[in-house]
Amino acid sequence: MAVPAALGLPTPAECARLAGLHSERARRNRELAQDLRRDGANVPADLNERRARVDQRTADILTAYARELEARAVAGREIEAAE
């Protein structure tokens, strides 16, 4: 998959790795928010919930991008094979 790399874009594998990191950070932020709520600190908990949603959304976008890159690579190989 030379095109993404040539353009400085992440490869599907890099997207998957980054998505995993963002998912993990989202999980930790949700856990922290729960701990803060349990201690009565609602404002910091709300901020951590927002961070968790942003991180999860970022992970979802990266996963979708990786799937799109893979689909395009498969389509490109099929076109080359047909020629």
Side-chain angles (χ1 to χ4, degrees):
M1 172 94 11
V3 174
L7 295 175
L9 300 172
T11 64
E14 291 168 329
C15 285
R17 183 184 67 78
L18 291 170
L21 292 174
H22 280 281
S23 290
E24 177 61 22
R25 193 162 67 181
R27 184 191 61 76
R28 285 195 316 264
N29 275 322
R30 281 191 294 274
E31 289 175 356
L32 180 57
Q34 289 173 352
D35 291 345
L36 289 167
R37 279 197 209 297
R38 198 174 15 248
D39 294 340
N42 289 328
V43 172
D46 291 344
L47 292 173
N48 277 291
E49 281 293 335
R50 281 190 216 126
R51 288 182 186 133
R53 285 193 299 273
V54 168
D55 280 324
Q56 189 58 57
R57 181 69 183 137
T58 302
D60 294 345
I61 290 168
L62 287 165
T63 300
Y65 178 67
R67 286 185 189 134
E68 178 67 21
L69 288 176
E70 285 294 335
R72 287 180 184 204
V74 168
R77 287 191 296 269
E78 289 173 354
I79 290 170
E80 287 176 0
E83 292 177 342

